[in-house]
Amino acid sequence: MKKINWRAYALEIIELIGGKENIQEIYHCATRLRFILKDDEKFKLDEIKKTELFKGYKKQENQHQIIIGAGVVDKVYKEIDLIVNENSSNTGDLKPENKQIFWNKKLSTKSNMLMISKRGMNSFASIFVPLVPVFIAGGMSLAIMSLVNQISPNTGFAKLLDVIGGGIMGSIPVFVGYTAAKKWGGNPFLGMAIGLVLVSPALLNRYSTNTPIQLGFDINTPADIIQKFRIEALHKYFSDNNLTEPENVEIMLDKIVGVYYTIFSGFFKIKLIGYQAQIVPVLLVIGLSVNIEKVLKRWTPQVVAIIVVPLGTVILSSWLAFWAIAPLGEIIGKGISLGLSGLFKYTNWNFIGFGGMIFAGFYPFLVITGLHQGFLPIETQLLVDSNLQFGHSLSFITPVACVSNIAQGTAALMLVFYTKDKTERSKAISSTFGGYTGITEPAMFGINLQIKPLFISAAIGSAIAGWWLGMTHTMANSLGSASWIGLVQFDWNTVETKKYFEANNIHAILTGVPMGVHITIAMLISVFATAGASALLLRTDWGKQSIKNYLNPSENQYN
């Protein structure tokens, strides 16, 4: 096999974006090379379009995004990073803090609000996009564990997957602490340290401990007193729920009554409870710690700064985190989770999947703007909250992403039937494969947005499949790949989902059918609905002209 010279591609891209001196910020996600330039006038977009690797282009505010493709963009970026940092004092990624005007007086209030929201989503993307492989590794491990347990409970392999997935997902605050501190101009290793503090083994691990009752005691409370109160709480639990008490109380004690400890008292009381797998608390804490670090750097004498700045940042941030900031973040996170869950619940009913249809229909438009990146932390919160409440993780976001991605891949595949050009056919087939395995940018930006009837067809197909998701309340049990590969993320029996439906008084059709079957049906609906809509729209004058413009190089445009 011919060896690919990635350095040559990197040098070509650097030259066409104005040289390495013109790069202000650069990084990559699964398929896109993202960068901000000091002078946009030096960016030769028309020349970039002619390069071999180019699959599409998008600009968000002042950030350029060149779509290269999964498995390629990381190799090109690696070479770009090496070239940019040659003969330079930089030792890591070129990602300096990008200072922008918060409120532009020359713009209207509406424009400013839109600009601020876009900037916030870009910031979210910078924090969470690098962590996508981490979320996939942890989420898919838990998904496969769930599938293995449904086939053969309590196997050694399932336990290993539980250790891997639980370890990764429980440590999410550590990863977020690093990327958030790096994005916001702080020391990323101090951000990682604070994330580690929030998931310390000395704290109650609520990610793996979901007992119905949790009692708090001062850290100096004698063990016999704690045991006495736990047994009383257990008896009350059985009495209040009209349950028969078991002969061996000790067996049920750990399953029903958990314990956490507190330090200090009164207004400054701190609960020693961990924030494993939670997103909002760590974001708030890191936002605070970065500013504490900057203040300490500014006012601390150089002679003692090496000790005072890191120690002061971690101690002050940790104390404020456990006292007020992290509990506030937990409340906000739960509020978001309850709000979205309630919205999905009450807009979908027996044979009515209105909420699912709207969400799935609009999802591809969110992908265009990059706003879909904001669902990653939200979905993590949904999974954590449902696990704490019901002992089983469930989310409606991954199913919607699945049908949307499948629709984009199917729409791109339709190009095969309208061209004999081998290059375009190969592009369509590879883009379809990407969409069917969870990477839609090549299909969406490389083909569907250029042939707009295909993009609209994909949105229609996704919406129709979303109706099925809504009326069946299809849920995934973990994060992972929103694709055919992601079928392992869905329950293939109905034990846990029936409990969830009963506890939440959810009205859905075909509750006796496993979620794995429902998502399979929904994705097949997405395929056939998208193909049908594409066939109809491409027969119209609009469709014929769109195909003609795309296949004619002189009229080919990347909007």
Side-chain angles (χ1 to χ4, degrees):
M1 180 180 289
K2 181 181 177 181
K3 185 176 181 181
I4 299 174
N5 189 346
W6 298 110
R7 187 176 180 85
Y9 288 126
L11 286 167
E12 183 180 24
I13 290 173
I14 289 173
E15 180 184 354
L16 295 176
I17 64 178
K20 67 180 184 180
E21 296 79 11
N22 194 38
I23 300 173
Q24 180 172 322
E25 175 180 336
I26 188 165
Y27 65 102
H28 73 93
C29 60
T31 59
R32 309 182 197 187
L33 188 66
R34 300 167 177 254
F35 52 91
I36 295 173
L37 302 177
K38 297 174 183 176
D39 184 0
D40 283 346
E41 295 296 324
K42 296 180 180 180
F43 179 39
K44 301 175 183 178
L45 178 57
D46 290 336
E47 295 298 317
I48 285 280
K49 293 175 183 177
K50 298 175 184 178
T51 59
E52 184 179 349
L53 297 181
F54 180 79
K55 288 185 171 65
Y57 169 77
K58 188 177 186 309
K59 186 176 182 181
Q60 277 190 342
E61 203 173 331
N62 64 338
Q63 185 190 77
H64 303 274
Q65 300 174 9
I66 299 175
I67 300 163
I68 297 177
V72 177
V73 67
D74 55 329
K75 296 179 177 67
V76 175
Y77 172 79
K78 182 179 179 181
E79 292 298 329
I80 290 176
D81 189 48
L82 289 173
I83 295 167
V84 166
N85 289 299
E86 281 177 351
N87 302 318
S88 171
S89 59
N90 293 332
T91 56
D93 297 342
L94 187 65
K95 299 181 185 176
E97 184 181 2
N98 180 33
K99 294 183 179 180
Q100 296 173 315
I101 299 173
F102 179 75
W103 192 273
N104 191 335
K105 295 180 180 179
K106 297 180 181 180
L107 300 177
S108 65
T109 300
K110 181 180 179 180
S111 296
N112 272 297
M113 293 302 294
L114 182 62
M115 181 179 65
I116 291 169
S117 64
K118 283 184 177 180
R119 194 176 299 151
M121 293 311 300
N122 284 338
S123 180
F124 248 52
S126 299
I127 292 169
F128 291 102
V129 166
L131 299 179
V132 168
V134 176
F135 280 98
I136 289 176
M140 290 296 284
S141 295
L142 293 177
I144 296 171
M145 177 207 71
S146 177
L147 183 63
V148 171
N149 277 333
Q150 291 173 53
I151 298 171
S152 179
N154 302 318
T155 64
F157 182 55
K159 184 60 182 177
L160 176 61
L161 291 171
D162 185 30
V163 170
I164 294 171
I168 292 173
M169 299 307 293
S171 302
I172 285 299
V174 181
F175 302 112
V176 174
Y178 180 90
T179 55
K182 189 172 187 178
K183 173 62 183 176
W184 294 335
N187 184 325
F189 294 102
L190 288 181
M192 180 188 289
I194 292 168
L196 282 167
V197 170
L198 293 177
V199 298
S200 169
L203 305 170
L204 174 70
N205 186 341
R206 276 200 296 201
Y207 180 70
S208 60
T209 307
N210 54 355
T211 54
I213 302 171
Q214 290 186 352
L215 303 178
F217 297 92
D218 183 85
I219 198 168
N220 295 313
T221 303
D224 58 331
I225 294 179
I226 293 175
Q227 189 71 356
K228 174 186 174 184
F229 279 102
R230 289 184 70 200
I231 292 173
E232 289 179 359
L234 181 66
H235 290 317
K236 187 175 186 302
Y237 175 82
F238 280 109
S239 176
D240 291 345
N241 291 278
N242 297 318
L243 299 173
T244 303
E245 292 191 23
E247 295 182 3
N248 192 339
V249 175
E250 296 294 331
I251 295 177
M252 299 301 298
L253 196 58
D254 291 334
K255 294 182 179 180
I256 295 176
V257 185
V259 173
Y260 66 87
Y261 295 96
T262 63
I263 56 176
F264 308 129
S265 60
F267 182 68
F268 295 104
K269 178 185 286 187
I270 288 177
K271 296 178 180 179
L272 297 180
I273 296 175
Y275 294 88
Q276 289 82 0
Q278 297 196 47
I279 302 292
V280 180
V282 70
L283 288 175
L284 293 182
V285 174
I286 296 301
L288 173 70
S289 72
V290 166
N291 285 285
I292 290 175
E293 181 187 353
K294 289 177 180 178
V295 170
L296 290 176
K297 281 183 176 179
R298 182 177 180 181
W299 296 104
T300 305
Q302 280 297 118
V303 68
V304 294
I306 193 171
I307 296 174
V308 173
V309 173
L311 184 62
T313 300
V314 172
I315 290 178
L316 281 173
S317 300
S318 299
W319 182 78
L320 290 170
F322 289 118
W323 176 54
I325 305 300
L328 174 62
E330 185 176 31
I331 292 170
I332 294 172
K334 285 184 176 180
I336 294 171
S337 175
L338 288 171
L340 287 173
S341 297
L343 184 64
F344 192 77
K345 173 183 175 180
Y346 293 112
T347 56
N348 297 291
W349 210 260
N350 289 333
F351 298 100
I352 298 175
F354 181 74
M357 180 186 71
I358 296 298
F359 189 14
F362 274 101
Y363 192 85
F365 296 93
L366 297 175
V367 175
I368 293 176
T369 62
L371 292 175
H372 69 297
Q373 302 290 354
F375 287 124
L376 186 57
I378 292 172
E379 183 163 30
T380 303
Q381 189 71 48
L382 286 172
L383 293 167
V384 170
D385 285 349
S386 59
N387 184 58
L388 290 174
Q389 191 173 0
F390 306 105
H392 192 69
S393 297
L394 293 166
S395 168
F396 60 86
I397 295 177
T398 286
V400 169
C402 282
V403 297
S404 178
N405 291 351
I406 297 302
Q408 291 297 326
T410 302
L413 182 63
M414 296 301 293
L415 179 61
V416 171
F417 303 103
Y418 292 86
T419 180
K420 295 180 180 179
D421 185 281
K422 291 183 179 180
T423 302
E424 290 298 336
R425 283 191 162 200
S426 175
K427 180 180 178 181
I429 292 170
S430 64
S431 297
T432 300
F433 180 78
Y436 283 180
T437 53
I439 304 296
T440 59
E441 282 87 349
M444 180 179 287
F445 292 96
I447 296 175
N448 298 343
L449 282 173
Q450 314 313 315
I451 308 173
K452 290 182 173 58
L454 290 180
F455 181 79
I456 298 302
S457 298
I460 292 171
S462 180
I464 294 173
W467 183 277
W468 180 273
L469 296 178
M471 67 182 185
T472 58
H473 278 264
T474 302
M475 303 273 187
N477 59 32
S478 67
L479 293 167
S481 175
S483 65
W484 288 110
I485 298 172
L487 287 175
V488 297
Q489 298 160 226
F490 296 83
D491 291 332
W492 289 87
N493 62 40
T494 60
V495 176
E496 299 296 340
T497 49
K498 280 187 175 180
K499 290 179 184 177
Y500 176 78
F501 287 164
E502 291 173 4
N504 281 276
N505 193 29
I506 289 175
H507 299 275
I509 67 167
L510 302 175
T511 56
V513 177
M515 291 295 155
V517 175
H518 281 313
I519 191 61
T520 302
I521 293 172
M523 288 196 285
L524 289 172
I525 290 172
S526 182
V527 169
F528 291 111
T530 300
S534 298
L536 290 174
L537 290 180
L538 290 178
R539 288 181 181 178
T540 65
D541 292 340
W542 176 42
K544 292 175 182 178
Q545 188 62 43
S546 297
I547 288 284
K548 181 180 177 181
N549 291 342
Y550 175 80
L551 295 176
N552 188 334
S554 63
E555 298 177 11
N556 185 17
Q557 297 179 355
Y558 290 86
N559 299 321

